[in-house]
Amino acid sequence: PYKECGVDPREGLDCFGLVRYVLAQEISLNLPEKPPSPAAWPRYVKIFRIPPWDLRPYDVLMFADIIPGLANHIGVVISATDFLHAGSQFGGVVCEPIRRYEHKIIAVGRPIKP
């Protein structure tokens, strides 16, 4: 289910909580409990712009849904074509095609392995 500021999948997750949980479980990358400031993200992921066909599993997609150029939503790539994200408007965690949101991706974070 969706829960604002949620970081526990049993109680509910928001978009950051979901990305944090997936990266911790799958590649042992421990993000802080609260979303890092834009300046702090490079401690955890290498941020760049890449074409959608170069995405890899566990890349973090950063979206501008409200204000162009300002990331306000994130998700995590799970395959060459799909990603997971969470939000109240989706009712929780959903898997969707990356191509549906390509136009909103403003940056990609490739995890820096611990």
Side-chain angles (χ1 to χ4, degrees), residues 77-113:
V77 175
I78 58 167
S79 74
T81 59
D82 299 313
F83 77 108
L84 295 176
H85 63 135
S88 59
Q89 69 269 38
F90 311 114
V93 176
V94 293
C95 177
E96 296 198 77
I98 295 166
R99 66 177 155 59
R100 185 177 295 163
Y101 293 87
E102 276 180 67
H103 63 287
K104 293 182 179 185
I105 298 170
I106 60 169
V108 174
R110 180 142 303 149
I112 299 169
K113 302 269 176 137

Side-chain angles (χ1 to χ4, degrees), residues 15 18-19 59-63 73-77 83-86:
C15 63
L18 170 65
V19 170
D59 281 350
V60 177
L61 303 178
M62 300 176 183
F63 300 95
H73 187 60
I74 62 174
V76 62
V77 175
F83 77 108
L84 295 176
H85 63 135

